[in-house]
Amino acid sequence: MLNNWVVVPTCLPLVLRRCHTCASGTFRPNGKFRVNANHKLIDAWLLALCTSCGDTAKFTVLERANVRSVRPALLDRMHDNDSGLAAELLRDPLVRRRNRIALDWAGAWRLDTGGPDRRPDGEVIDVSVRFAAPIPVRPVRLMAEGFGLSRAEVERLIVAGKVVSAVRLGGRLSGDFTFMLKR
């Protein structure tokens, strides 16, 4: 039996960076942009609010770029405060490195198993896990949530050789993978 699971983002992740006002460590991006043009040069920032004090932080998207080098569709999406564009930019490693930020995906994703959660019974179950966005998640947590088991029980199944996969199941994964559960 083949099951298809999908890890789907539910909202924008928290941004991990220190607030200059209150020393909090998290910001909530709201999908809004600020665009500023000065003659032929343009700057653009993604705005986020501190989860503690509400102060606004600007994360650089474009810095002193020539206006003609920016795609008009990208500029329109920024002017429309497109939350999909905000999600794309937050996943972009260049934007994260330039702004020295990290993402906290806790509570910002869900696992869609395509049906009701069920405990595995005496059969062999093949599962294909697909990521709608590159969200780093531990496979053990996905299996526990998908089958309604505890993480300790899933760990015991892996140690006993009942879970087989071509990828390493320890650590975090953010790309598609498959595994087989033998009961």
Side-chain angles (χ1 to χ4, degrees):
M1 166 183 273
L2 178 66
N3 292 331
N4 293 312
W5 293 357
V6 182
V7 178
V8 182
T10 57
C11 62
L12 293 174
L14 289 176
V15 175
L16 301 176
R17 188 171 115 177
R18 175 114 9 232
C19 177
H20 297 292
T21 305
C22 70
S24 170
T26 56
F27 285 86
R28 167 111 15 232
N30 53 10
K32 296 194 188 263
F33 292 89
R34 177 164 186 246
V35 180
N36 185 24
N38 186 7
H39 300 289
K40 295 180 182 178
L41 302 177
I42 191 167
D43 295 310
W45 301 275
L46 174 63
L47 302 178
L49 300 175
C50 175
T51 56
S52 184
C53 70
D55 191 38
T56 303
K58 299 186 302 186
F59 303 124
T60 304
V61 175
L62 296 173
E63 185 172 29
R64 295 288 181 210
N66 191 321
V67 173
R68 291 179 183 242
S69 69
V70 179
R71 295 186 326 263
L74 176 67
L75 207 51
D76 289 341
R77 289 177 75 186
M78 282 189 216
H79 284 302
D80 293 339
N81 291 321
D82 186 0
S83 61
L85 176 62
E88 290 173 27
L89 291 171
L90 285 173
R91 289 191 298 260
D92 185 1
L94 295 175
V95 171
R96 289 197 318 253
R97 191 173 326 124
R98 174 190 290 164
N99 293 290
R100 294 186 207 114
I101 60 175
L103 301 179
D104 180 11
W105 283 96
W109 62 272
R110 67 178 167 80
L111 179 64
D112 183 13
T113 58
D117 292 343
R118 63 182 198 129
R119 293 178 97 43
D121 45 6
E123 59 191 78
V124 174
I125 299 173
D126 286 323
V127 178
S128 172
V129 180
R130 189 176 62 81
F131 287 80
I135 302 169
V137 183
R138 295 184 187 282
V140 172
R141 181 172 179 192
L142 291 176
M143 290 178 217
E145 192 170 315
F147 291 126
L149 303 171
S150 69
R151 282 189 266 178
E153 193 171 346
V154 172
E155 290 282 353
R156 283 192 294 274
L157 289 172
I158 291 172
V159 170
K162 304 265 185 193
V163 177
V164 180
S165 179
V167 298
R168 198 178 111 244
L169 298 175
R172 295 178 186 262
L173 293 175
S174 59
D176 300 349
F177 70 98
T178 59
F179 67 92
M180 181 173 43
L181 175 69
K182 301 181 273 187
R183 284 296 284 226

